[in-house]
Amino acid sequence: MKTNPLTIADTTFHSRLFTGTGKFSASPLMREALQASGTELVTVALKRVDVHQQQGDDLLTHLQHPQWRLLPNTSGVRNAQEAVLAAELAREALQTNWVKLEIHPDPKYLMPDPIETLRATEALAKRGFVVLPYIHADPVLCKRLEEAGTAAVMPLGAPIGSNKGLRTLDFLEIIIEQSRVPVIIDAGLGAPSHAAQAMELGADAVLVNTAIAVAGDPVAMATAFAQAVQAGRTAYEAQLAQPTAHAVASSPLTAFL
Amino acid sequence: MQSFKDLIANYEWQAIQDDIYRKSAADVVRALAKPGRLDLEDFKALVSPAAAAYLEPMAQRSHQQTQQRFGKTIQMYIPLYLSNECQNICTYCGFSLDVPIARKTLSEEEILAEMSVIKQMGYEHVLLVTGEANKTVGVEYLQCAIRLLRPHFAHIAMEVQPLEQAEYALLRREGLHTVLVYQETYHREEYKTHHPKGKKSNFDYRLDTHDRLGRAGIQKMGLGVLLGLEDWRTDSFFCAAHLQYLEKTYWQSKYSISFPRLRPCAGGLNPKVQLSDRELVQLICAYRLLSDTVELSLSTRESPHFRDHVLKLGITSMSADSKTDPGGYANPNMALEQFEIDDKRPTTEVVASIRRQGYEPVFKNAVGIGDF
Ligand code: SF4
């Protein structure tokens, strides 16, 4: 069953499951899980990449795959200025102008800073980056980011790493309805059912990391997520039947016709 | 910069029309049962012939959604015709260059005379209307009129020829709040036949107008098609797509839709397509179901009976007691009018009738523009 491909900044993706590379117990296991997920976009923290000596057991050697586009993220930076620097470094090291913008000065909950994120998006878009910012599920911020030239928005479903699912549901619905750029639900998806729900809502893609990396069997879990994303998307494109809303009120309104 | 013009290139009229006529009862039922937002596919179903059998549930939902958002109120406005001079030929219009009527453009004194009659009638929201005569009724004239009127009204709207972005920005700074520009028809070829001469014959320039308005930061924009020029279902789909595009792009602006049905006028064009009352109700409800927030406006082109009943079905603003001849409030002169209105009741009667339906007619619903 084929679903429509997703296009971000002129690049087409057939898999709508984006994945992360953190928290895996071993790099070979990570590679196997990513393969099982069918992903085509893999985010990697710039701070984990050994920029200078690409040899030995560097993470990058495990991420060479014809199907995988690498998406460096700026995790660890605290403001827009640092984010721009990190993105420039990543562009040089990984030969990509794509960047997942993550600015979370708060080390406890890793809450994204909306003001710095907007500033960084503006600056990076001007420098020719394809920017994918990680943000709160804030509809107005999404519109401001669009205007700043973002390539997509990545609102969170729940606090990062919390596995709680779509706690921001009402706001995600507004974002999806209004957005002119792809909406990728990032953070908080703890189970394949969460991913399926996001896709049924009309999200363009999801990004899953923790739930796969820390599962008892990451490879099997990656497969389950792949199936869930596919099922959710198929259902969305097939136009879900909805529970019937309110009953018809009493007095007819069109009897005058 | 992207604009709706680029988007419309993806839509093929005939394919859309075929789509609409193929929609089934099941498509309509599914759209009506959706708890969340409807999309353009749903809109196609709701304006399709298949939806005719679902008029009552559409009306119920439209009624409920409108009350939820706008309350039991109807915003009242009144048109003020500043000029009937026009350099364009539009086959359906009483002001068309080739129609032999007397021409008149109001002087400052005449504008103020109109203002005082309108104020006595209680109106605070005024819609300035002109034809397209850039030499006599250009931007400077409009600027002057707005400057003259802004101390007297809470809300100034304008329905005149399309302007440049910088001109809109200029008028906004003068206190212009709302601009209405109707595409008339989104069918490129049909458009050409109805606008053979004058600046209005440029389809693309007109189509681009709302993008210019959005970029100029105009707070509210109106759009619509002249119902009767082409297949109303397909034309309205394009208008709905236009609305959705604008809502997403210029997300800080508000939007309104009008539903002018082609009426007999001095020019004397007979509508190619007749839109029945039932169909107009269907269309009003379809727009409401597509967008909770869009304002839906009904003019005095429609009959008292129709207006009284339809105001519960999704309408949020209405004009009353309108004159379509420049100077017509202070000195009526039928020889100058654009079209004959149908609902000729005085404002007090319309107000009483709205109240009888359990609604409150609102005359002022804005901070006075002069305050800014
Ligand atoms: S519709 Fe407008 S532009 Fe066309 S003739 Fe009438 S007043 Fe002029």
Side-chain angles (χ1 to χ4, degrees):
Chain A
M1 176 80 217
K2 266 217 157 75
T3 46
N4 294 328
L6 164 65
T7 303
I8 302 175
D10 298 333
T11 300
T12 303
F13 296 92
H14 298 281
S15 161
R16 291 170 182 267
L17 173 57
F18 299 165
T19 50
T21 51
K23 300 188 189 174
F24 283 93
S25 57
S27 292
L29 180 62
M30 171 195 77
R31 187 176 170 83
E32 220 188 312
L34 296 186
Q35 257 165 338
S37 76
T39 190
E40 293 168 64
L41 190 73
V42 179
T43 180
V44 51
L46 182 67
K47 64 185 179 191
R48 288 195 55 208
V49 175
D50 187 349
V51 179
H52 300 295
Q53 34 177 307
Q54 296 186 9
Q55 42 175 243
D57 199 37
D58 181 62
L59 183 60
L60 282 185
T61 55
H62 295 276
L63 290 175
Q64 305 296 326
H65 192 288
Q67 209 189 305
W68 300 345
R69 173 183 266 280
L70 290 190
L71 177 65
N73 70 58
T74 63
S75 171
V77 308
R78 303 174 63 82
N79 56 43
Q81 205 182 359
E82 290 177 16
V84 172
L85 276 172
E88 290 287 8
L89 253 174
R91 173 150 69 178
E92 204 175 306
L94 300 177
Q95 300 297 308
T96 175
N97 63 342
W98 285 47
V99 61
K100 182 181 178 217
L101 185 58
E102 291 186 23
I103 307 179
H104 28 68
D106 137 43
K108 191 168 174 210
Y109 292 107
L110 303 178
M111 288 289 120
D113 180 329
I115 296 161
E116 294 298 321
T117 302
L118 179 61
R119 284 192 187 130
T121 301
E122 273 165 6
L124 288 169
K126 278 198 193 110
R127 289 165 182 245
F129 282 93
V130 172
V131 190
L132 294 88
Y134 164 61
I135 50 168
H136 277 284
D138 178 338
V140 171
L141 180 60
C142 286
K143 297 312 280 184
R144 297 291 300 262
L145 287 165
E146 259 179 33
E147 289 167 354
T150 197
V153 288
M154 305 187 74
L156 51 79
I160 193 163
S162 71
N163 288 344
K164 285 183 176 172
L166 302 185
R167 291 297 168 93
T168 56
L169 182 68
D170 291 354
F171 306 99
L172 292 174
E173 281 178 342
I174 297 173
I175 292 169
I176 290 167
E177 180 214 324
Q178 293 186 333
S179 188
R180 302 173 67 209
V181 294
V183 179
I184 302 152
I185 313 295
D186 186 5
L189 305 181
S193 56
H194 300 153
Q197 190 192 1
M199 299 310 294
E200 285 172 6
L201 275 186
D204 294 284
V206 295
L207 193 146
V208 182
N209 184 8
T210 309
I212 294 175
V214 306
D217 181 346
V219 178
M221 189 55 79
T223 311
F225 266 99
Q227 290 166 339
V229 168
Q230 182 65 28
R233 181 66 195 182
T234 306
Y236 172 75
E237 288 183 14
Q239 303 197 346
L240 281 175
Q242 301 287 348
T244 316
H246 32 261
V248 166
S250 48
S251 56
L253 291 165
T254 53
F256 73 100
L257 289 163
Chain B
M1 213 173 294
Q2 211 215 348
S3 71
F4 183 64
K5 241 180 16 203
D6 310 316
L7 194 76
I8 205 178
N10 301 325
Y11 292 122
E12 213 254 307
W13 181 282
Q14 194 55 51
I16 302 274
Q17 182 163 354
D18 292 347
D19 255 15
I20 291 171
Y21 283 81
R22 265 199 305 266
K23 289 288 179 189
S24 66
D27 295 322
V28 180
V29 169
R30 188 171 44 241
L32 279 170
K34 264 198 189 177
R37 282 281 174 161
L38 272 56
D39 58 27
L40 287 173
E41 283 306 308
D42 298 319
F43 186 85
K44 282 182 191 166
L46 294 178
V47 295
S48 74
Y54 295 87
L55 207 52
E56 183 61 27
M58 280 176 73
Q60 293 286 352
R61 182 163 168 180
S62 175
H63 169 72
Q64 191 268 331
Q65 269 180 225
T66 309
Q67 279 205 350
Q68 179 88 20
R69 176 86 195 185
F70 294 91
K72 298 183 175 188
T73 64
I74 296 287
Q75 175 66 50
M76 303 298 294
Y77 73 94
I78 194 159
L80 198 179
Y81 277 67
L82 296 174
S83 170
N84 65 358
E85 289 189 63
C86 194
Q87 301 300 320
N88 293 322
I89 293 184
C90 302
T91 55
Y92 45 79
C93 178
F95 290 170
S96 187
L97 179 67
D98 56 349
V99 178
I101 57 163
R103 303 290 170 165
K104 181 173 179 61
T105 296
L106 299 188
S107 67
E108 290 195 12
E109 296 75 58
E110 287 167 323
I111 293 175
L112 288 174
E114 292 291 271
M115 178 276 293
S116 68
V117 179
I118 286 175
K119 288 286 285 190
Q120 276 164 28
M121 293 157 84
Y123 289 92
E124 283 291 339
H125 287 216
V126 69
L127 170 65
L128 309 181
V129 186
T130 72
E132 176 155 19
N134 287 300
K135 285 207 189 93
T136 42
V137 195
V139 179
E140 277 167 32
Y141 177 87
L142 296 167
Q143 185 180 9
C144 174
I146 292 169
R147 215 175 262 177
L148 215 54
L149 294 170
R150 66 182 274 190
H152 303 285
F153 291 101
H155 185 118
I156 295 182
M158 186 174 90
E159 186 183 339
V160 309
Q161 72 275 22
L163 303 174
E164 290 296 311
Q165 182 182 329
E167 295 172 331
Y168 284 131
L170 175 95
L171 297 181
R172 175 173 61 80
R173 288 192 294 275
E174 291 292 344
L176 176 65
H177 189 278
T178 297
V179 177
L180 316 180
V181 176
Y182 307 137
Q183 187 61 29
E184 318 294 10
T185 175
Y186 288 83
H187 191 292
R188 199 176 277 273
E189 285 73 41
E190 191 69 21
Y191 184 93
K192 241 183 259 162
T193 66
H194 289 290
H195 307 98
K197 188 181 172 300
K199 281 189 84 175
K200 194 167 173 179
S201 59
N202 187 338
F203 179 87
D204 284 319
Y205 185 71
R206 195 170 186 86
L207 194 61
D208 236 8
T209 305
H210 294 84
D211 281 286
R212 295 195 298 277
L213 286 166
R215 290 182 201 123
I218 293 291
Q219 291 178 55
K220 198 196 293 181
M221 312 176 210
L223 49 170
V225 300
L226 183 51
L227 300 164
L229 291 184
E230 244 304 332
D231 177 63
W232 64 270
R233 304 175 203 271
T234 313
D235 235 346
S236 300
F237 168 84
F238 277 89
C239 187
H242 199 174
L243 172 69
Q244 274 216 331
Y245 159 82
L246 292 168
E247 283 183 339
K248 284 187 184 180
T249 310
Y250 308 104
W251 52 281
Q252 301 187 45
S253 297
K254 290 182 180 177
Y255 297 91
S256 77
I257 301 269
S258 302
F259 309 91
R261 277 197 275 192
L262 196 51
R263 291 178 52 84
C265 71
L269 176 86
N270 281 323
K272 170 175 171 181
V273 190
Q274 290 273 11
L275 190 67
S276 71
D277 284 359
R278 290 189 71 87
E279 287 169 332
L280 182 51
V281 167
Q282 183 185 347
L283 179 60
I284 290 170
C285 296
Y287 274 116
R288 171 59 65 227
L289 267 51
L290 180 74
S291 168
D292 273 346
T293 50
V294 71
E295 296 180 19
L296 301 179
S297 179
L298 205 62
S299 80
T300 51
R301 282 173 185 252
E302 300 299 337
S303 73
H305 173 78
F306 186 77
R307 285 184 7 124
D308 279 355
H309 284 93
V310 93
L311 77 85
K312 279 186 172 172
L313 305 189
I315 296 300
T316 59
S317 68
M318 273 190 172
S319 54
D321 222 347
S322 307
K323 299 279 189 292
T324 71
D325 49 320
Y329 295 107
N331 301 293
N333 179 357
M334 265 151 64
L336 296 173
E337 72 184 10
Q338 186 184 32
F339 58 85
E340 200 187 331
I341 62 172
D342 197 333
D343 185 350
K344 298 195 177 88
R345 293 174 294 176
T347 303
T348 46
E349 242 179 73
V350 174
V351 162
S353 171
I354 292 173
R355 291 225 169 95
R356 270 198 301 279
Q357 315 276 330
Y359 279 68
E360 180 60 25
V362 174
F363 283 86
K364 182 171 182 298
N365 188 19
V367 182
I369 290 165
D371 299 351
F372 291 109

